[in-house]
Amino acid sequence: MPRVALYNIQGQQVGEVDLDDSVFGGEVNEAVLHDVVVMQLASRRRGTAATRGWADVSGGGRKPWRQKGTGRARAGSIRSPLWRGGAVIFGPQPRDYGYRLPKKVRRLALRSALASKVRDGNIIVLDELKMEKPRTKDMAHILKNLNAENKALVVTATREPNVELSARNLPGVRFLTSDGINVYDLLAHDKLVITKDAVARVQEVLA
């Protein structure tokens, strides 16, 4: 069972916390991590690219010249795909690129991502994280105390508006609740700063 240090917001160790081995101590399955990251990025694609087909371009209702006798190639419309300003054949149209992997695969990937943070020593567990008022400078100071000022993922059990507002202006820092924790953000950030209550919530869901 993995055991990690428990810190306060001053960066002082105040104890230790045992992590569930089935969530934080398993093998890191890189193939599953890759599959889930690709799924997440595909789901984030806007898919709004569009081109105009035959039915969308204007003009071209009359045959530009007669079929025979002119010495030119036959043409039926000035909006042919061969012409400048003409239609586009098989061009992109608005679509949804998203797809879903099985729930067991997604959970395995999330456990693998959490285990990789523990394995690499990039998880920081806090006893609590609350702020009286939103202030970016204070949040930056807290992360500096924890040696996590660069690319940190901050996770709390419930939504903390003051923490969220204080963290969102810091470059490379992202705030999530335990319900929104995901594989892509875990891998995209160097440090995972998570409260003790959030650890309990994550273990309750994934164990």
Side-chain angles (χ1 to χ4, degrees):
M1 178 177 290
R3 175 175 291 183
V4 297
L6 182 67
Y7 296 93
N8 58 22
I9 58 176
Q10 284 77 36
Q12 301 167 340
Q13 183 174 345
V14 294
E16 291 183 333
V17 59
D18 291 326
L19 303 177
D20 193 314
D21 193 54
S22 63
V23 178
F24 291 91
E27 294 291 330
V28 178
N29 191 324
E30 295 184 359
V32 171
L33 288 175
H34 175 267
D35 290 342
V36 172
V37 168
V38 171
M39 181 200 72
Q40 284 189 245
L41 294 179
S43 299
R44 294 183 184 187
R45 291 184 66 177
R46 296 181 63 186
T48 54
T51 54
R52 292 189 298 175
W54 277 91
D56 303 316
V57 293
S58 60
R62 181 176 66 87
K63 190 173 175 66
W65 51 76
R66 67 180 191 267
Q67 181 82 348
K68 294 179 178 292
T70 64
R72 289 181 288 186
R74 55 195 174 188
S77 171
I78 63 171
R79 290 296 173 252
S80 164
L82 304 177
W83 287 53
R84 182 176 181 273
V88 176
I89 299 300
F90 303 130
Q93 293 296 317
R95 55 167 290 195
D96 181 12
Y97 288 90
Y99 62 94
R100 300 285 282 178
L101 289 171
K103 187 175 182 179
K104 287 185 178 180
V105 174
R106 300 197 305 269
R107 287 196 170 199
L108 175 60
L110 193 52
R111 287 195 293 266
S112 292
L114 291 169
S116 71
K117 291 298 180 189
V118 176
R119 181 193 65 185
D120 299 335
N122 289 327
I123 183 171
I124 301 170
V125 182
L126 295 177
D127 54 354
E128 65 174 0
L129 180 58
K130 295 183 182 295
M131 301 181 71
E132 295 182 358
K133 60 181 180 179
R135 194 173 183 215
T136 303
K137 187 177 181 179
D138 291 345
M139 190 66 197
H141 187 65
I142 291 173
L143 293 177
K144 185 177 181 179
N145 292 338
L146 300 170
N147 293 321
E149 58 266 38
N150 295 324
K151 298 193 73 173
L153 179 63
V154 181
V155 180
T156 58
T158 57
R159 187 169 178 266
E160 298 287 345
N162 290 340
V163 176
E164 183 176 4
L165 291 172
S166 301
R168 69 180 183 181
N169 285 334
L170 293 172
V173 178
R174 180 169 172 79
F175 171 83
L176 292 175
T177 62
S178 57
D179 295 334
I181 196 168
N182 62 87
V183 174
Y184 178 80
D185 284 321
L186 282 170
L187 298 181
H189 294 83
D190 295 336
K191 297 286 186 179
L192 171 61
V193 180
I194 184 169
T195 62
K196 183 174 61 174
D197 292 340
V199 169
R201 290 281 293 271
V202 170
Q203 292 181 156
E204 182 181 349
V205 173
L206 295 178

